[in-house]
Amino acid sequence: MTHAATIHDGGTILTMQPGALQAEAIAVDGDGRVMAVGPSHEIAALAGPGTRRESLGGAFVMPGLVESHTHALWGACRDLFEVYVGYAASTEGLAQAVQTRAAALPAGTWITGGPWRLDMRDGLGMTPRDWLDRIAPAHPVALSDTTQHAMWANSAALAAAGIDAHSPDIPGGVIERDATGAPTGFLAEAGCAPLRRLTAWTPNQLSQACDYATRYLNSLGYTAFKEPMADEATLAAYADAVDTGRMSLHVAAHITAYSPLTEAVVPPDEIARLRARYARPGLRLDYGKLFLDGVAPAYTASFLAPYLPKPGYDPATHDPDATLLLPPEVLNATVTALDALGFCVKMHAVGDNAVRKGLDAIAAARAANGSGGPRHEIAHSTFVDDADLPRFADLDAVAEVSPKLWMPNAGTAAQRAVLGAERLDQVHRIRSLLAAGAEVIFGTDWPASAPDANPWTGLAGMISRTDPTGRYPGAVAPAQAIPLDDALPLFTVNGAKAMGMTGQTGVLAAGAWADFIVLDRDIRPSTAEEIGAVTVRRTVHKGQTVYEA
């Protein structure tokens, strides 16, 4: 008989196994896999002379969480190297932070960070370019908005990027101009690309960021995550962390096939080359990424119905396809080609028209390559038309819901300002998607439109559609709230399946990795506010404690 290396006993264990949801003890073998989960007396029989026994002290235990959409290195670099003032900061607070950073850096050194919000624009009293010129005239400055889809830049930054009154517009991007044609300093989508290229992180910074992000995600209870937008530098950083034993998370990364930062669609054979070079145990790379549209506050999300009117935008001239970043024929061909190579494609889609076009592309791939291929994902699925709800199940597509805009937050006012209250009641239709048979997964999209990667506030908001911290009053689309029992699979078994790890993580069962977390409370009888305040006491990955409060 094989004896357990470790037995964790004396807890209340939520296994996420249908038919055997609760247990008292876990036996783990020497390779970090679960031998058995069950009553204490049954698990005790697996003990041998060398078995280590650990008391759970009555604590609540559940599988480690799966984060299906977080830009981990991007978020870590924000915290480590950028100006960051939080999503609720004032214009004055942002100005002070930039001035403080400028005073500490030699003239000519780049300053990046933010974020700013759409509602802050009117308070500037001038263009973003002029405002930043007054704050930091000796430094190139590029500040991102809360969605990370738009930027403010000063004159030095625009000059360094070669953007002036004579510059041509960038396809798929916005370069806002004044009456003379000079750039105002507001850029969106592909218009940000020249600045992004000039402020890319170094390999050493990415290595530091990888370690920071790993510790951070472990501290929140994650034992697995998906990187949704990986270029070669990102892949190299993750691969090095895995190879050197510094990565205590299961990782999957979606290799960028098209984003507002790429000049064109990356050829499928190049995506395949990156997969072949960097894939290894612990780093899954059968995943690609495409951007279909932008974000609502910048009027760059692709909607079937018009936005509310504003200067320069007439609803009567609304063209749903005008803000698509890829023509449908290019999108269909790209998804079909990647599908044939075995890549699961995650498609950024905020507006309901973008969601529809993403589903159309999956349908094209199924028609060309047959069913049974990769389970492609519509990232965010922020707005979904009634007619498209059942298509997720019909096409075996996955609806990823992120970021945490299903509860009131700093971005809610900006959403309402451009879409109206009635349409906001149709945002993140999680209940409707589940009712239509869609498989749904959870992501935060940190640091884009989410100040943190905290899953507990996300879970609390999902079941209440209110802000569990109490900072932002009211509710967002309250009819779309779902019960805890329906929400938990999004964070565990569904996320594991989307990573190609069904039965290996996100569940505590024989043969799975011993990935589990110890919490400060049993979340099942807890209120939404209590769930939002959960503290992770301990995180175990492959049988090893990787975080302890």
Side-chain angles (χ1 to χ4, degrees), residues 12-17 21 26 60-66 220-224 456 488 491-493 496 504-509 512-519 523 538-540:
T12 300
I13 302 168
L14 177 66
T15 69
M16 295 304 296
Q17 286 190 75
L21 278 176
I26 311 171
F60 178 74
V61 176
M62 65 177 290
L65 305 184
V66 181
L220 293 171
Y222 294 114
T223 53
W456 307 107
L488 284 176
F491 295 72
T492 53
V493 292
Q504 298 182 60
T505 193
V507 64
L508 293 172
W513 289 110
D515 298 336
F516 63 87
I517 53 179
V518 182
L519 306 182
I523 60 175
R538 183 182 180 194
T539 301
V540 175

Side-chain angles (χ1 to χ4, degrees), residues 205-509:
Q205 287 174 319
L206 291 175
S207 180
Q208 294 179 58
C210 198
D211 293 343
Y212 177 98
T214 300
R215 291 191 300 271
Y216 176 57
L217 294 177
N218 283 160
S219 76
L220 293 171
Y222 294 114
T223 53
F225 84 100
K226 293 179 95 177
E227 163 63 57
M229 189 175 74
D231 59 10
E232 187 159 13
T234 298
L235 295 173
Y238 285 139
D240 180 66
V242 170
D243 292 346
T244 54
R246 293 161 29 234
M247 178 59 69
S248 52
L249 295 148
H250 305 288
V251 185
H254 288 262
I255 303 170
T256 304
Y258 177 77
S259 84
L261 304 185
T262 59
E263 295 181 356
V265 175
V266 179
D269 59 351
E270 171 63 8
I271 304 299
R273 180 192 74 80
L274 292 171
R275 174 174 63 181
R277 177 170 183 181
Y278 293 104
R280 61 250 291 132
L283 180 56
R284 296 165 178 266
L285 297 182
D286 291 326
Y287 305 92
K289 176 66 178 291
L290 297 170
F291 278 75
L292 307 191
D293 67 346
V295 292
Y299 279 68
T300 55
S302 179
F303 283 98
L304 295 167
Y307 288 91
L308 296 182
K310 74 165 187 174
Y313 170 80
D314 181 0
T317 64
H318 179 73
D319 176 2
D321 290 353
T323 47
L324 289 175
L325 296 176
L326 290 173
E329 62 274 13
V330 174
L331 172 62
N332 292 357
T334 302
V335 173
T336 298
L338 291 171
D339 178 271
L341 292 172
F343 285 98
C344 160
V345 184
K346 185 188 287 284
M347 289 171 269
H348 169 109
V350 170
D352 50 11
N353 185 55
V355 171
R356 177 169 294 177
K357 293 301 193 292
L359 292 169
D360 289 347
I362 297 172
R366 299 284 186 251
N369 302 330
S371 59
R375 299 168 65 250
H376 304 296
E377 301 171 13
I378 303 298
H380 313 314
S381 300
T382 315
F383 294 89
V384 182
D385 187 74
D386 284 349
D388 293 313
L389 290 169
R391 298 182 70 199
F392 284 89
D394 293 344
L395 293 168
D396 196 21
V398 178
E400 175 223 286
V401 290
S402 63
K404 294 181 282 188
L405 292 180
W406 48 77
M407 61 192 190
N409 61 40
T412 304
Q415 296 273 341
R416 187 177 292 110
V418 300
L419 298 173
E422 182 177 352
R423 189 159 8 171
L424 204 61
D425 274 340
Q426 296 297 312
V427 71
H428 283 297
R429 303 178 67 184
I430 303 173
R431 176 181 286 272
S432 297
L433 285 162
L434 292 174
E439 185 155 311
V440 185
I441 56 178
F442 163 84
T444 61
D445 199 18
W446 179 64
S449 290
D452 55 59
N454 187 334
W456 307 107
T457 52
L459 175 59
M462 191 178 289
I463 65 176
S464 70
R465 307 292 286 211
T466 62
D467 173 19
T469 71
R471 170 177 284 183
Y472 299 97
V476 173
Q480 291 296 322
I482 60 174
L484 180 65
D485 287 349
D486 289 346
L488 284 176
L490 280 63
F491 295 72
T492 53
V493 292
N494 291 8
K497 185 176 181 181
M499 288 188 69
M501 296 187 70
T502 300
Q504 298 182 60
T505 193
V507 64
L508 293 172

Side-chain angles (χ1 to χ4, degrees), residues 17-78:
Q17 286 190 75
L21 278 176
Q22 189 160 313
E24 297 172 325
I26 311 171
V28 181
D29 67 19
D31 295 325
R33 290 190 180 270
V34 175
M35 292 180 65
V37 183
S40 296
H41 68 274
E42 290 183 8
I43 302 304
L46 297 173
T51 299
R52 185 174 74 254
R53 290 178 171 272
E54 293 194 6
S55 172
L56 294 169
F60 178 74
V61 176
M62 65 177 290
L65 305 184
V66 181
E67 156 70 280
S68 294
H69 190 130
T70 190
H71 304 267
L73 301 190
W74 189 1
C77 284
R78 180 202 74 181

Side-chain angles (χ1 to χ4, degrees), residues 67-136:
E67 156 70 280
S68 294
H69 190 130
T70 190
H71 304 267
L73 301 190
W74 189 1
C77 284
R78 180 202 74 181
D79 289 357
L80 291 171
F81 309 120
E82 291 193 329
V83 168
Y84 177 63
V85 295
Y87 282 32
S90 65
T91 306
E92 294 74 18
L94 179 59
Q96 183 59 55
V98 172
Q99 289 175 326
T100 299
R101 182 64 59 92
L105 293 175
T109 305
W110 277 89
I111 297 174
T112 59
W116 50 268
R117 301 181 310 279
L118 183 69
D119 60 274
M120 297 165 70
R121 176 71 184 267
D122 291 342
L124 300 184
M126 61 192 76
T127 66
R129 179 198 64 213
D130 292 342
W131 184 72
L132 287 173
D133 283 349
R134 293 188 179 190
I135 294 168

